[in-house]
Amino acid sequence: MATIIDGKALAQKIRSNLKIECDELKSRGILPKLAVILVGNDSASKIYVRNKNRACEEVGIEFEEYILNSDITQDELINLINSLNSKKDVHGILLQSPIPNHLDINQAFRTIAPDKDVDGFNPLNVGKLTLGQDTFVSCTPYGVIKMFEEYNIDLSGKNLTIIGRSNIVGKPLIQCCLNKNATVTICHSKTKDLKEHTKNADIVICAIGKAKFITEDMIKEGAVIIDVGINRTEEGKLVGDVDFQNVEKKASYITPVPGGVGPMTITMLMNNVIKAAKQLNM
Ligand code: NDP
């Protein structure tokens, strides 16, 4: 039976430490602040933003929300980002995605000042990650790396297979795991014989958004399984991409959904805001 990687408990532990750091900054007159931009009426996005607000409250980070109508122009969005870039009391800027199709999200991410880019989506920060330089690492991959560290799972020399190549999860994960000396394989919807890549892996990270995609016959005995996926069943239950009940019996470590990668993602956002506040006040 696998050891469950308890993302909720680890997130709690990291948040408690962040609160101490936040209090220390406040005692020096620095009030760490995150500005979140939400465009339009997407109900899932509203929930994500609410959760980020709660996490900020828990750590003691100030939270400022900018809710924009879905018909705003690109110029209006860019002007808002530029004004937040120049505000001395704002340390982190986050643009909640998705945004309406008529807007250019890439230009928006490019506009966020690299030293306030707490999501790590500005191409400059993506490039720094690729070069192995200190930067803001996007929150989900960073959370996964923290889990490996907490559970002493050494990636060095391990065969590690990532499934999913999105800009926010799969691609930055490649670099994070490579920086830890893993031998990385990346799979996607065009991969042929995906099972061959998962069967040979010491560690499998799945981030595609398909319930029960990873079954026990796809992994090797004792593999470490990280489940990034979030799916809702017809009964409304939250599940990951892994057939947890069966895979758990064969894996050495496994993350649950909920209570795995999810809580770590928001926590690493908090971590990045504190880091930004410190760096901007050095
Ligand atoms: P995207 O939809 O942007 O990307 C999905 C990726 O999965 C794509 O690269 C796609 O391949 C690949 N894929 C889809 N179907 C298959 C398949 N049958 N076989 C192999 N690869 C496949 O998703 P995200 O990266 O944004 O999110 C992935 C999942 O992770 C979602 O469930 C999301 O909700 C969850 N998530 C969870 C977070 C957390 O905090 N726990 C944070 C962010 C996301 P291709 O590129 O070829 O199309």
Side-chain angles (χ1 to χ4, degrees):
M1 223 38 166
T3 300
I4 309 287
I5 299 181
D6 188 343
K8 204 172 161 194
L10 176 56
Q12 202 52 56
K13 183 169 133 182
I14 296 173
R15 284 186 205 187
S16 301
N17 289 333
L18 288 172
K19 185 167 177 10
I20 296 168
E21 288 187 53
C22 191
D23 287 345
E24 200 269 327
L25 284 168
K26 285 179 176 169
S27 72
R28 288 164 45 205
I30 302 157
L31 304 180
K33 186 189 276 184
L34 171 66
V36 172
I37 305 169
L38 177 64
V39 188
N41 250 326
D42 184 72
S43 52
S45 292
K46 282 184 183 165
I47 295 172
Y48 292 140
V49 171
R50 198 177 62 208
N51 290 340
K52 285 165 188 168
N53 189 355
R54 282 197 189 133
C56 281
E57 276 172 15
E58 203 183 314
V59 173
I61 294 170
E62 310 265 310
F63 182 86
E64 220 166 62
E65 192 175 349
Y66 293 83
I67 303 172
L68 307 177
N69 287 332
S70 52
D71 61 355
I72 63 148
T73 64
Q74 182 73 10
D75 282 350
E76 285 170 316
L77 177 61
I78 296 299
N79 288 342
L80 171 61
I81 295 172
N82 277 325
S83 81
L84 293 171
N85 283 344
S86 56
K87 273 189 163 184
K88 280 224 158 9
D89 65 331
V90 169
H91 305 100
I93 303 169
L94 182 150
L95 172 62
Q96 184 66 48
S97 64
I99 61 174
N101 285 335
H102 71 279
L103 297 170
D104 178 353
I105 198 162
N106 291 325
Q107 191 202 7
F109 285 148
R110 269 199 314 274
T111 306
I112 294 176
D115 51 5
K116 297 187 178 186
D117 174 35
V118 286
D119 250 346
F121 294 160
N122 182 305
L124 185 87
N125 286 330
V126 176
K128 280 180 155 185
L129 179 66
T130 305
L131 295 172
Q133 297 172 5
D134 181 51
T135 184
F136 292 108
V137 179
S138 61
C139 302
T140 301
Y142 197 8
V144 170
I145 292 298
K146 282 280 170 195
M147 287 173 142
F148 289 137
E149 288 174 356
E150 174 74 9
Y151 283 80
N152 293 317
I153 298 167
D154 184 11
L155 303 197
S156 186
K158 300 279 167 57
N159 289 332
L160 184 149
T161 294
I162 300 165
I163 313 167
R165 57 173 164 180
S166 70
N167 289 342
I168 62 165
V169 186
K171 283 183 194 156
L173 259 174
I174 302 173
Q175 211 53 54
C176 290
C177 297
L178 196 57
N179 290 346
K180 292 271 186 189
N181 298 318
T183 302
V184 181
T185 301
I186 178 101
C187 300
H188 44 78
S189 68
K190 307 289 185 293
T191 299
K192 292 201 172 96
D193 201 0
L194 189 131
K195 190 171 167 180
E196 194 181 314
H197 298 291
T198 54
K199 263 253 171 227
N200 282 324
D202 303 303
I203 301 167
V204 175
I205 306 176
C206 194
I208 67 172
K210 289 200 161 68
K212 294 198 177 176
F213 184 82
I214 299 289
T215 47
E216 85 262 36
D217 58 304
M218 292 172 75
I219 67 155
K220 81 172 176 191
E221 194 78 43
V224 175
I225 309 294
I226 307 292
D227 191 353
V228 179
I230 302 174
N231 309 286
R232 232 173 239 290
T233 63
E234 280 175 11
E235 301 82 47
K237 208 176 142 212
L238 218 56
V239 296
D241 289 347
V242 176
D243 180 6
F244 185 88
Q245 271 191 334
N246 294 313
V247 171
E248 181 194 21
K249 293 174 192 146
K250 201 169 172 187
S252 58
Y253 290 90
I254 189 166
T255 61
V257 177
V261 177
M264 290 301 294
T265 296
I266 294 192
T267 301
M268 298 330 288
L269 174 66
M270 301 300 111
N271 178 85
N272 285 350
V273 177
I274 297 291
K275 175 178 167 139
K278 278 188 192 162
Q279 288 182 346
L280 287 164
N281 286 284
M282 273 202 308

